[in-house]
Amino acid sequence: ILVSTCTIKQELEMTHRFTKDLPHFAAARARVNDPPAPYGPCAQDYLTTYLNRADVKAAVHALPVQYTCCSTSLRYTINDKGVVPIYQRLMNNTNWHIMIYSGTADSIVNFVQTETIVNSMGRPLKINEYRAWNYPDVYYPKSTQLGGFYLTFDRITWATVRNSGHMVPQYNPPAGHEIFLSFITVGGPGRM
């Protein structure tokens, strides 16, 4: 059983966090020069600490402010019509190919809901079957892991990302990196 090492106060402040050095991953992490650890309950703390380092701020030319993962000072308008009008506008006014993806463990916007939204746009399918996509295994680079499945429409690719929540790059960095890299290099998920 994995038990959070965060305090109750931290758990109440942020729901998604990361445990730093899980003993059962130590040997595997050492083999591959300490890759990103799997998602856990204290991730926000490590990200905030990293983003506030002077060398990181200098490297990304960031403003000299204190960064936090969540802010109550940002104001934005919630669009209660959803994202379909935005996607439709992109399809009508550009020649872009877009990729929409969802984590299979996303409790905020379930991947079935996202697939329903994509299907509601009525775009023609190029290939009428789900295809698997893979990414390099972090601990065994000569192997791959199943990243998820995808459908290819005329100018939209819809994909799932296995073992990932709402924020794919945060929950599953290796798969998040691969789905982005493969989309910009070959136009869809899965170069492997």
Side-chain angles (χ1 to χ4, degrees), residues 90-112:
L90 289 172
M91 293 295 102
N92 294 335
N93 299 320
T94 73
N95 62 353
W96 297 352
H97 182 112
I98 63 173
M99 181 173 59
I100 302 165
Y101 59 88
S102 292
T104 58
D106 185 344
S107 62
I108 298 168
V109 181
N110 184 279
F111 72 94
V112 175

Side-chain angles (χ1 to χ4, degrees), residues 7 41 86 110 122 148 180:
T7 66
I86 296 167
N110 184 279
F180 176 75

Side-chain angles (χ1 to χ4, degrees), residues 18-23 25-38 46 138-139 141 173-174:
F18 208 116
T19 49
K20 186 174 182 181
D21 288 312
L22 300 173
F25 286 110
R29 289 176 71 186
R31 279 197 307 273
V32 290
N33 197 20
D34 198 23
Y46 299 119
V138 173
Y139 300 113

Side-chain angles (χ1 to χ4, degrees), residues 14 23 44 48 56 59 67 74 87 97-98 100 108 132 134 137 145 150-151 162 179 185 192:
M14 296 180 192
Q44 306 286 7
T48 300
V56 173
Y67 289 94
L74 294 176
Y87 295 151
H97 182 112
I98 63 173
I100 302 165
I108 298 168
N134 298 295
D137 188 300
Q145 288 289 319
Y150 68 99
L151 287 172
R162 284 183 62 240
I179 199 166
T185 57
M192 317 193 120

